Amino acid sequence: MPTLVRLLTTLLIVAGIIYGIMAALVYFVEPTRREMIVDVPLPQIEPAPAPVPDTGGLRP
């Protein structure tokens, strides 16, 4: 049982340190904002092929 308590305590301390680092990043780091323009090329649309007329099974 002492080993389990020691493991859980260690995991809680590590989780607390990670949480503290994340909170410090949120409070102290300010992102720089700038305008960004991205050109997105559109694919060329090809027209659908013309449908073949149905001759009813007869050959022309």
Side-chain angles (χ1 to χ4, degrees):
M1 193 65 160
T3 307
L4 179 62
V5 171
R6 190 178 307 150
L7 174 69
L8 292 177
T9 304
T10 305
L11 290 176
L12 285 174
I13 290 173
V14 170
I17 291 172
I18 292 172
Y19 184 78
I21 291 171
M22 289 172 47
L25 284 173
V26 167
Y27 287 120
F28 296 123
V29 176
E30 191 67 35
T32 57
R33 293 179 180 244
R34 59 179 182 233
E35 186 174 341
M36 190 167 114
I37 299 173
V38 178
D39 290 330
V40 179
L42 296 175
Q44 296 295 326
I45 299 176
E46 298 179 11
V52 178
D54 185 21
T55 58
L58 301 174
R59 293 188 181 189

